[in-house]
Amino acid sequence: MTRTEISTIGEFGLIRRLTEDIKLQNPSSQYGVGDDAAVLSYPADKQVLVTTDLLMEGVHFDLVYVPLKHLGYKSAIVNFSDIYAMNGIPKQITVSLAISKRFSIEDMDEFYAGLRLACKEYQVDIVGGDTTSSLTGMAISITCIGEGEKGKVVYRNGAKETDLICVSGDLGAAYMGLQLLEREKAVLKDDKDLQPDFTGKEYLLERQLKPEARKDIIKKLNDAGILPTSMMDISDGLSSELLHICNQSNAGCRVYEEHIPIDYQTAVMAEEFNMNLTTCALNGGEDYELLFTVPIADHEKISEMEGVKLIGHITKPDMGCALITRDGQEFELKAQGWNPLQENNKE
Amino acid sequence: MTRTEISTIGEFGLIRRLTEDIKLQNPSSQYGVGDDAAVLSYPADKQVLVTTDLLMEGVHFDLVYVPLKHLGYKSAIVNFSDIYAMNGIPKQITVSLAISKRFSIEDMDEFYAGLRLACKEYQVDIVGGDTTSSLTGMAISITCIGEGEKGKVVYRNGAKETDLICVSGDLGAAYMGLQLLEREKAVLKDDKDLQPDFTGKEYLLERQLKPEARKDIIKKLNDAGILPTSMMDISDGLSSELLHICNQSNAGCRVYEEHIPIDYQTAVMAEEFNMNLTTCALNGGEDYELLFTVPIADHEKISEMEGVKLIGHITKPDMGCALITRDGQEFELKAQGWNPLQENNKE
């Protein structure tokens, strides 16, 4: 593959190359890349939602096994997911990148191809950003702007006693995908000619490398006339997110182990790794599924909704947050989710 | 000074400590830190402006001589400056930080103290962000959201032939401040007991370490009923920014060396460093002054405005972009501004 140094075109040349044929699709995107700031116009009946994420090489991604195109795709998706989690629709992103000389123009083309694919599929406009150099690893900072209907934005703090706790899709697969990639990386270190065999594990890799944001669930809820009382996306693990909702709503919860949705491949892989499956599903993280609560009156409607599982209910705060195991035992939920600032990171 | 490891409180604990007593001041800030996204409400007669910056340790700042409080202040200011440069008013920021174990809780307190001071002085709300770990240096990503009156947002592309070119404040001082700090750093390496003497150079240091955004100029222009035809802030150097305005406006320009505003301390320092003063003022960068063009009909009004200098005029595009020296010679303007991706960075 050709490798062209970024220094041959410089910062402005690179930005031009990556952004010059971007066409704005959303009416709220008035002016995109090319000035001191992007200009947006939101109608008075909308609220503007803003979320941001900073991804650091070696902490959030490992370029040994993450292709740059996938990285671009995922970097956008994780931000879209936060906007959907407010019952909103993502409309614009700004993209800031810090890269070292290790990266070529072609690398940046790949990253942007993934980013633009995600934007195309979710009808989001790239309206600005910053491209600069890094002395060490790559840093990616994306800010996503979206819109919510006034009065229909869903926060984490609205869960009420007797509300049903729901989760979309299945949990733990992205974490298993990461374990799988880490194992193959370790194996490849010893024997570079070995070709990893991922047959039967495609779903796990897809969940790790090419996650999607659940815009379909937001649409279904809206179509069914259900407005969740609280919602957030699952990025740090179900346990951690449940505790956020309960803390912010001043509530407790009961969640049933047997109802936690887990894919077959996740279960097989946990067995192979000799890991506790429920722990993986509770604390794995990077699922980008939606966790939300609905009034008990919506029980019938939500039970019929494809892709949504009812996993428990909200209680009074003094009941605490508990997991009920298959054999009826109660355990207090603890946040053991992914928390980079508590890990034993090397300087 | 006490040093408490961040690992003792973790990511969520750190975010809570840094943000828990933040009070939102602007009516457009509906919901700040603590959910998947911030929620803003802008009235229908406003446009929403969005700008973002990514600052990397070792590339954009050197913690050997930049105190963290100043760094926090400056990180916010450079984003406010971009919003003013659209003739807007900054209203919210999101703050993402990546930090290594080298940083303590007290360090982050310092950084946030600077950030919050800037926000207080410019009436901007901190509404969100992300705090995570870095394996190497510090990364700071700030996104600023502001408002502009519909029909009064000023772009780079509206300069017309005969328009007057104006610049606020003075140029080159921040660059000189940087040279000064770099020199002292080199000296201190050899003799650690040496106390640097910055007497008579305070302005240069202030311009480098604690720049301000020109909200006063935006107010003055508005009060005087002047709507610039084009505007941008000077972050990469006057030459580079003039070329942006001329390229995007399909115009040329004549700028007069004798009219470029330069502070006395900048001139003294250039002499001491044996540097060409005009080159420093044209290409130094980090001035965060406003460069703008106004119709010739506003000549009288703009000439009387304190803190604004008239430095030239816009011409037909085929005239090119020229600097007229004190002895009447014409030189083509070239962008030699600060461009990290063209520098000879080490991996």
Side-chain angles (χ1 to χ4, degrees), chain A residues 291-335:
Chain A
L291 168 68
F292 56 96
T293 55
V294 299
I296 198 161
D298 287 326
H299 182 268
E300 204 179 317
K301 284 197 269 184
I302 204 75
S303 308
E304 287 166 356
M305 195 172 284
E306 220 183 312
V308 171
K309 274 285 283 254
L310 225 151
I311 60 167
H313 59 270
I314 296 293
T315 65
K316 284 196 193 352
D318 52 14
M319 301 277 286
C321 296
L323 174 77
I324 318 295
T325 60
R326 282 193 178 73
D327 54 5
Q329 289 192 70
E330 232 182 272
F331 287 99
E332 198 195 330
L333 278 179
K334 289 209 175 100

Side-chain angles (χ1 to χ4, degrees), chain B residues 186-201:
Chain B
V187 169
L188 282 173
K189 229 178 170 175
D190 299 330
D191 185 350
K192 294 203 190 297
D193 294 327
L194 216 67
Q195 275 297 322
D197 181 11
F198 292 132
T199 314
K201 289 155 188 164

Side-chain angles (χ1 to χ4, degrees), chain B residues 165-196:
Chain B
I165 302 172
C166 308
V167 75
S168 67
D170 60 80
L171 304 179
Y175 176 73
M176 278 303 160
L178 181 64
Q179 299 309 309
L180 186 59
L181 289 164
E182 287 285 351
R183 184 180 67 179
E184 296 307 318
K185 179 185 169 186
V187 169
L188 282 173
K189 229 178 170 175
D190 299 330
D191 185 350
K192 294 203 190 297
D193 294 327
L194 216 67
Q195 275 297 322

Side-chain angles (χ1 to χ4, degrees), chain A residues 21 64 82 86 96 159 161 170 185 191 194 222 224 229 239 256 259 261 269 273 277 299 301 304 306 329:
Chain A
D21 61 335
V64 170
D82 280 318
M86 304 294 289
S96 294
E161 201 190 333
D170 59 80
K185 179 185 168 185
D191 184 349
L194 215 67
N222 193 44
T229 51
S239 279
Y256 297 87
H259 294 319
M269 203 68 221
F273 277 120
L277 182 56
H299 182 268
K301 284 197 269 184
E304 287 166 356
E306 220 183 312
Q329 289 192 70

Side-chain angles (χ1 to χ4, degrees), chain A residues 6-12 14 30-31 34-44 46-60 81-83 85-86 94-103 127-143 145 150 153-157 231-233 236 240-241 244 248 338-347, chain B residues 6-12 14 30-31 34-44 46-60 81-83 85-86 94-103 127-143 145 150 153-157 231-233 236 240-241 244 248 338-347:
Chain A
I6 291 170
S7 57
T8 58
I9 56 172
E11 178 189 354
F12 295 129
L14 180 64
Q30 300 268 302
Y31 195 98
D35 218 298
D36 292 286
V39 182
L40 315 178
S41 248
Y42 277 92
K46 306 288 185 194
Q47 289 193 298
V48 181
L49 309 171
V50 182
T51 184
T52 191
D53 248 314
L54 176 59
L55 306 175
M56 302 293 290
E57 185 177 347
V59 177
H60 301 93
S81 182
D82 280 318
I83 298 291
M86 304 294 289
T94 62
V95 184
S96 294
L97 291 177
I99 46 176
S100 67
K101 285 185 80 169
R102 179 157 59 90
F103 296 92
V127 296
D130 195 10
T131 306
T132 190
S133 64
S134 160
L135 292 185
T136 51
M138 185 179 185
I140 306 164
S141 174
I142 292 186
T143 297
I145 301 117
K150 266 187 186 159
V153 169
V154 178
Y155 296 86
R156 297 177 179 176
N157 63 8
M231 184 155 57
M232 68 183 294
D233 75 329
D236 294 337
S240 166
E241 318 307 24
H244 279 301
Q248 295 195 28
W338 194 77
N339 186 342
L341 289 177
Q342 271 176 337
E343 276 184 284
N344 198 13
N345 288 318
K346 281 170 211 131
E347 175 75 348
Chain B
I6 290 170
S7 57
T8 58
I9 55 171
E11 179 189 353
F12 295 130
L14 180 63
Q30 301 268 301
Y31 194 97
D35 218 298
D36 292 286
V39 181
L40 315 179
S41 248
Y42 276 92
K46 305 288 185 194
Q47 289 194 299
V48 181
L49 308 172
V50 182
T51 184
T52 191
D53 249 312
L54 176 58
L55 305 176
M56 303 292 290
E57 185 178 347
V59 177
H60 300 92
S81 182
D82 280 320
I83 298 290
M86 303 296 288
T94 63
V95 183
S96 294
L97 291 178
I99 46 177
S100 67
K101 285 184 78 170
R102 180 155 59 89
F103 296 92
V127 295
D130 194 11
T131 305
T132 190
S133 63
S134 159
L135 293 185
T136 50
M138 185 179 187
I140 306 164
S141 174
I142 293 187
T143 296
I145 302 116
K150 266 188 187 159
V153 169
V154 178
Y155 297 87
R156 296 177 180 177
N157 62 11
M231 183 155 56
M232 69 184 292
D233 76 329
D236 293 339
S240 166
E241 318 308 23
H244 280 302
Q248 294 194 30
W338 195 75
N339 186 341
L341 288 175
Q342 272 177 336
E343 277 184 285
N344 198 14
N345 288 318
K346 282 168 209 132
E347 176 72 351

Side-chain angles (χ1 to χ4, degrees), chain A residues 238-253:
Chain A
L238 178 63
S239 279
S240 166
E241 318 307 24
L242 269 172
L243 290 172
H244 279 301
I245 283 187
C246 289
N247 285 338
Q248 295 195 28
S249 300
N250 188 30
C253 72

